[in-house]
Amino acid sequence: MEIIIQSDAVAASRASARLVARLVREKPNAVLGLATGSTPLMLYKEMIRLHKEEGLDFSRVATFNLDEYIGLEKDHPQSYYTFMWENLFSQINIKPENVHLPDGMAKDVPASCAAYEQAIIAAGGIDLQVLGIGSDGHIGFNEPTSSFASRTRIKTLTQQTVQDNARFFDGDESKVPHHCITMGIGTIMDARMNLMLAFGAGKAGAVAATVEGPVCAMMPASILQHHPVAKVFIDEAAATALQLSDYYRWIYAGKPEWQRDA
Ligand code: PGA
C-alpha cells in the first residue's frame, strides 16, 4: 500500500484528484468506481474544477457506485443516486447512460446485484475505485466479517454505521435504512487501482488497523494490503495512530514529481 499523508483534507483530496485526472486523460473511456459520504466531497469538487477550468473530459467515462440504500427512491434526498447527481454528475459532462448505481428499489435484489456485476464486466472492469472507510473499517457497506470473496449483494448495516449516518437523516437513526446493496469486497479487489481517502481523528484507528494491522475480516479495509495498487490519502489527523508515519512521509517526499500522480 502507498500511504500519502497531506497537511489537510483539501490537500489530500487534490492529490487524489490528480490521479483521477491523469487516468481520464490517458484513457478517456476510463471506468471509475465512486463512493458517497462526506469523505469524497472535496475530491468531487476538485474533479468539477478540473472539468470546468482545465477541460477534463468525462464524456466517455463510465461510473459505478459502491452502494445504495434499499428502500429509498432514486429521488429521495438521502439516496446515493441523489448524492451523486448533486455533488458530481450534474456538474461534469458525464452521460447519464454511463452512470451506474445499485438499484435500491429492485424487486428482485439478487438478480439486480448479479446484473450489476455483469455490467461492470461488460464495461471492461473498474480502472480506479474511490473508497472511504467507515469508523469500523468498512469499505462500501461491507461491514466487519464480510467475506473477502463477496460480490455485489444485500447487506445489513451495523448499528454503528446507522448511528454514523444518522447525521444525514436529520440526526434521526430511525430514518436510516438498515439494508443496502453494496459491491462486495471481491468486486472492489477486482478494480485495477484502489484509492482510499480518510480524514479526521475519527478514522485514525481504522486507518492504522487497515495499513499496519493483520488482514482480517473484522477490519474489511485491511484486505487492501493484498491489492497490488492501493493508495491511501489521509490528512494529519487520520495519520496519528500509524506507527510508520515518518517512513510514509519520507517515501513520498523522495518521489520524483512525475511519479506522484502515477
Ligand atoms: P464518511 O463515510 O465519508 O461519511 O465518513 C465513509 C464510509 O462510511 O465509508
Side-chain angles (χ1 to χ4, degrees), residues 31 64-65 115-126 152 183 187:
V31 179
F64 287 86
N65 263 77
Y116 201 68
E117 290 277 334
Q118 283 307 313
I120 293 172
I121 292 167
I126 292 171
T152 302
M183 279 187 202
T187 323

Side-chain angles (χ1 to χ4, degrees), residues 36-40 132-134 138 140 167-168 203:
T36 49
S38 31
T39 305
I133 181 169
H138 70 218
R167 68 190 196 278
F168 299 114
K203 300 291 173 73

